[in-house]
Amino acid sequence: MSMKRRNLIWLIMGFLSMVMVPVRHAIAQDAAQEDAAAKQDKIKALELLYISRELDLTSEEAEKFWPVYKKYSKEVNELLAERKRKAKELKGQPRTDAVAEEALDKELGYERKMLEIKTRYKQEFMKILPARKVGNIYRSEREFRAMMIRQLKERKDNRMLRKRP
């Protein structure tokens, strides 16, 4: 094989390896994102099942409740996503008093917005359900989150125990 041909083959292989590494990385990243989305969907389905069981809705109540709850959940999730985005932006900044105060003000703003959403939807839920069931909505959400956090912590602790020699 001639020297030119060998150099050309090495050049092509080098080029392909440079192209394939980012492609493999992108494919792996897409797969991880799809996996994370599937896990989120599964958790959301479990949460809805838990809330449904806790509220013990009649078929008439369920028919009216779930569309309103879906809108409520969407608003809450949008607020949480915005909060997370802004926190990431602030994370890269130096922690001066001015930045800390801005972060605190933003956090209080998110808490205020969350309270506004819950207050507004409380009124909507009260049109559909009796007060005791409306109270159970928020309680059930808190209990479900606490249960998920507990399970994740237990799994993490179990993994750490298995890794010890």
Side-chain angles (χ1 to χ4, degrees), residues 9-64:
I9 290 172
W10 280 109
L11 182 66
I12 291 171
M13 288 177 61
F15 176 75
L16 286 176
S17 66
M18 287 180 2
V19 169
M20 291 307 292
V21 168
V23 168
R24 264 189 266 142
H25 179 70
I27 290 170
Q29 220 172 12
D30 286 348
Q33 287 174 345
E34 288 174 11
D35 190 38
K39 285 179 183 177
Q40 282 181 326
D41 289 346
K42 186 176 179 181
I43 290 170
K44 189 64 179 170
L46 288 171
E47 181 182 20
L48 295 179
L49 187 63
Y50 184 84
I51 291 170
S52 183
R53 190 185 71 212
E54 291 297 307
L55 294 181
D56 191 28
L57 301 172
T58 67
S59 58
E60 185 179 305
E61 288 172 336
E63 187 179 320
K64 294 175 184 175

Side-chain angles (χ1 to χ4, degrees), residues 37-149:
K39 285 179 183 177
Q40 282 181 326
D41 289 346
K42 186 176 179 181
I43 290 170
K44 189 64 179 170
L46 288 171
E47 181 182 20
L48 295 179
L49 187 63
Y50 184 84
I51 291 170
S52 183
R53 190 185 71 212
E54 291 297 307
L55 294 181
D56 191 28
L57 301 172
T58 67
S59 58
E60 185 179 305
E61 288 172 336
E63 187 179 320
K64 294 175 184 175
F65 170 75
W66 289 114
V68 176
Y69 185 81
K70 185 177 180 181
K71 288 183 207 171
Y72 158 76
S73 289
K74 184 177 183 226
E75 282 190 46
V76 166
N77 289 334
E78 286 172 355
L79 180 63
L80 293 174
E82 180 186 338
R83 178 189 199 183
K84 191 175 183 178
R85 265 193 317 276
K86 295 293 182 181
K88 271 187 179 178
E89 289 173 13
L90 286 175
K91 199 172 190 174
Q93 296 181 6
R95 291 303 280 181
T96 63
D97 284 339
V99 171
E101 186 175 354
E102 179 185 352
L104 181 58
D105 289 343
K106 285 185 186 279
E107 182 61 28
L108 292 173
Y110 289 121
E111 294 292 329
R112 192 173 15 266
K113 287 178 185 176
M114 185 65 75
L115 182 59
E116 289 169 4
I117 292 170
K118 288 185 175 191
T119 302
R120 186 167 21 95
Y121 276 94
K122 175 200 162 240
Q123 301 300 322
E124 294 296 314
F125 293 142
M126 292 290 288
K127 294 175 186 175
I128 302 167
L129 302 173
R132 69 181 158 72
K133 287 187 178 184
V134 172
N136 285 344
I137 296 168
Y138 302 121
R139 179 191 52 78
S140 298
E141 287 178 324
R142 281 190 311 272
E143 286 176 354
F144 183 80
R145 275 193 303 274
M147 182 175 59
M148 292 303 296
I149 290 168

